Amino acid sequence: MQDPTARRQAITAGAPPRERLSAWFGCPQPGCAAERYPLGEVVYRCRRCGGLLEVQHDLAPLRETPAAVWQQLFEKRYGSTVWPYGSGVWGKREWVNPAVDDANVVSCFEGGTNLFWAERFGRELGVSDLWIKQCGNTHTGSFKDLGMTVLVSQVKQMLADGQPIRAIACASTGDTSAALAAYGAAAGIPTVVFLPHHKVSLAQLIQPVANGARVLALDTDFDGCMRIVQEVTADGTIYLANSLNSLRIEGQKTISVEICQQFDWEVPDWIVIPGGNLGNVSALGRGFDLLLELGLVDRRPRICVAQAARANPLYEAYRTGYREFRPQEAQATAASAIRIGNPVSYDRAVRTLQAYDGVVEQASEQELADAAAWADRAGTFNDPHTGVALAALVKLVRAGTVRPHERVVVISTAHGLKFAEWKVAYHERALAEFEPQHANPPLALPNDVTAVRRALDDLL
Ligand SMILES: *Cc1c(COP(=O)(O)O)cnc(C)c1O
Ligand SMILES: [Zn+2]
């Protein structure tokens, strides 16, 4: 057995030491280049222009490590038990947040999720190289873990440095609060979550309850919760965990690195991602930006953001060539995590879509439900948000925008088990508005072998 120092040495050799790295909150607006704040400061918006900040890295020390060495390091770290490098996020820690000491990293071994080769579904649809990135196969069942590990770790570091933070809070459509509550509980940091009453699934409600968060169910929608949480966190003693906090984006951007790594550093032609508040598509773009910048890949994928037709402000803006953006009051959709009418990361997302030759598609309730169920028939178990992305892909393939030989990765954002009630209703034909195309209701039979034989003869 190798001794611990040798094992650590093996997965860090060739990377710049942490002391040489630096990252800070900076403003992306051209006129605000001088606005910089330490990652340990409680600040979410530029003090000069009021825009959202981004985490910026000193690229000089990162560039000194050749691309091939980064690739080897990331591969060696994947799944390792050398703390905290086995996490899909902390395996890329030099690119994410160099300011956190090992002892303050709060990780549940997030990331490292599988790519499902959707061969049978792809063949039926007419694309031969279709993959589903199963981001729901992680600690709390959604990709929100990727960002939350970075944010909660940063807060633990700030507490260790003596900052007076009482709790971490977020408004949530369900998955952010599940992740915050779990990481807060793992770290021993109090959490407060603001949920729109009766608008999240049972699984999403019980997760923060079980993890000991203070759960406040407000009589409003997500956008209403967002307004209130920004007010109550304004004095800085309650730290805000929504994705306007760009620390989360830094963790989520590792998804791009992980996808390329899983394809031996080949870039897919297309990535289809469901979008609500639009932090995740921005993160996807930032991940590819850094991969390109540091030479690990040499081309860009195209990106499609998929929205529910009932909460589609980005889609509407796309149709005007982004000349016009109108916030909406988002309508009820099965894809409840993207029921957002005024996305906080709209500007970031448009920048990403413009840089990645992007398109925006939308899906009706029937389209998203049928697409999810259709792909389920080929072995997946999709949540409604993945359904939105799959429905968008169906449209892109049928329109000839995505061509048959192109490699496509659909980002599955959550585990289908979080949405069991909705899936049951679909298969029992209990969704009032439409007739499902792929319903497969259970068959109730008497306790009688003849009846069972007859039923089997009918079914098979
Ligand atoms: C948060 C979430 C999204 C949307 O991500 P944004 O960054 O808000 O665009 C999509 N699907 C699921 C399951 C989510 O939890
Ligand atoms: Zn600014």
Side-chain angles (χ1 to χ4, degrees):
M1 211 172 69
Q2 266 187 324
D3 74 272
T5 321
R7 294 181 68 214
R8 180 165 290 268
Q9 172 67 20
I11 58 170
T12 52
R18 274 210 302 128
E19 313 79 73
R20 295 201 41 234
L21 300 175
S22 67
W24 56 88
F25 290 121
C27 179
Q29 294 308 322
C32 295
E35 294 300 306
R36 283 189 177 189
Y37 318 103
L39 296 184
E41 195 166 323
V42 184
V43 56
Y44 317 110
R45 290 184 179 277
C46 173
R47 298 213 170 101
R48 186 164 171 274
C49 74
L52 293 184
L53 299 170
E54 62 183 17
V55 176
Q56 297 171 346
H57 295 262
D58 178 5
L59 293 180
L62 297 176
R63 280 207 188 93
E64 286 168 21
T65 297
V69 174
W70 281 122
Q71 291 170 343
Q72 285 158 17
L73 282 171
F74 294 161
E75 283 163 18
K76 274 193 237 165
R77 292 171 179 181
Y78 210 69
S80 156
T81 51
V82 179
W83 181 264
Y85 292 93
S87 150
V89 173
W90 296 98
K92 283 101 186 161
R93 70 188 304 182
E94 295 90 347
W95 293 22
V96 171
N97 185 346
V100 178
D101 298 331
D102 282 2
N104 294 319
V105 170
V106 185
S107 170
C108 304
F109 268 56
E110 50 289 320
T113 55
N114 60 302
L115 276 166
F116 178 94
W117 183 28
E119 191 213 351
R120 286 191 54 232
F121 175 67
R123 204 180 318 127
E124 288 173 29
L125 179 60
V127 277
S128 57
D129 202 2
L130 173 59
W131 302 78
I132 302 180
K133 176 69 170 161
Q134 298 282 27
C135 298
N137 291 346
T138 180
H139 190 64
T140 71
S142 87
F143 77 84
K144 298 293 200 293
D145 290 356
L146 301 175
M148 207 53 81
T149 181
V150 178
L151 184 140
V152 175
S153 300
Q154 178 65 49
V155 173
K156 193 169 176 206
Q157 181 71 48
M158 289 155 75
L159 287 166
D161 296 342
Q163 289 211 41
I165 294 171
R166 290 187 288 159
I168 313 177
C170 73
S172 175
T173 53
D175 292 326
T176 301
S177 48
L180 174 60
Y183 283 82
I189 301 172
T191 57
V192 189
V193 309
F194 294 75
L195 298 173
H197 201 31
H198 297 310
K199 293 191 181 83
V200 305
S201 80
L202 183 64
Q204 290 171 324
L205 175 64
I206 197 60
Q207 287 182 288
V209 168
N211 286 134
R214 277 67 159 180
V215 179
L216 309 180
L218 302 192
D219 185 16
T220 176
D221 58 5
F222 170 79
D223 296 295
C225 290
M226 196 64 229
R227 274 190 294 275
I228 289 184
V229 80
Q230 293 197 54
E231 298 263 335
V232 300
T233 55
D235 80 351
T237 67
I238 302 179
Y239 193 82
L240 181 58
N242 280 97
S243 64
L244 62 92
N245 187 322
S246 53
L247 286 167
R248 282 184 44 206
I249 308 263
E250 287 310 284
Q252 288 171 207
K253 82 182 183 195
T254 58
I255 203 176
S256 310
V257 187
E258 202 168 282
I259 289 169
C260 293
Q261 181 173 343
Q262 286 171 306
F263 285 122
D264 299 322
W265 306 102
E266 271 181 30
V267 177
D269 298 302
W270 279 95
I271 299 187
V272 185
I273 185 168
N277 231 352
L278 305 177
N280 210 23
V281 61
S282 318
L284 190 70
R286 287 183 65 76
F288 277 104
D289 290 347
L290 199 50
L291 283 161
L292 286 156
E293 189 84 49
L294 297 179
L296 279 73
V297 302
D298 57 9
R299 68 186 196 99
R300 294 182 156 77
R302 294 189 68 185
I303 294 178
C304 169
V305 175
Q307 291 213 294
R310 292 206 175 143
N312 67 351
L314 180 68
Y315 177 76
E316 293 294 349
Y318 169 71
R319 300 218 306 172
T320 70
Y322 306 117
R323 274 184 294 278
E324 218 179 294
F325 167 69
R326 281 210 214 107
Q328 308 174 345
E329 185 167 340
Q331 303 302 300
T333 166
S336 49
I338 56 176
R339 179 181 179 177
I340 293 172
N342 191 11
V344 82
S345 293
Y346 172 79
D347 292 331
R348 289 172 173 163
V350 172
R351 281 200 296 273
T352 303
L353 284 163
Q354 288 173 335
Y356 287 83
D357 198 6
V359 300
V360 184
E361 256 301 346
Q362 66 170 356
S364 70
E365 293 304 291
Q366 169 141 30
E367 287 165 342
L368 73 90
D370 281 336
W374 177 14
D376 281 359
R377 288 295 187 93
T380 50
F381 191 74
N382 294 301
D383 75 296
H385 314 85
T386 308
V388 172
L390 291 166
L393 175 63
V394 170
K395 291 182 175 179
L396 294 177
V397 172
R398 292 192 174 149
T401 312
V402 169
R403 283 165 296 168
H405 62 275
E406 288 187 302
R407 174 171 287 169
V408 181
V409 176
V410 170
I411 307 291
S412 172
T413 44
H415 201 293
L417 285 172
K418 286 201 182 207
F419 298 88
E421 305 102 308
W422 171 74
K423 294 180 78 74
V424 168
Y426 178 90
H427 287 288
E428 291 184 340
R429 299 196 168 84
L431 296 174
E433 310 148 51
F434 58 86
E435 176 59 26
Q437 299 300 297
H438 304 279
N440 180 32
L443 187 59
L445 290 172
N447 178 14
D448 169 29
V449 77
T450 316
V452 171
R453 280 220 179 84
R454 205 179 305 125
L456 285 175
D457 286 344
D458 283 352
L459 290 171
L460 300 177

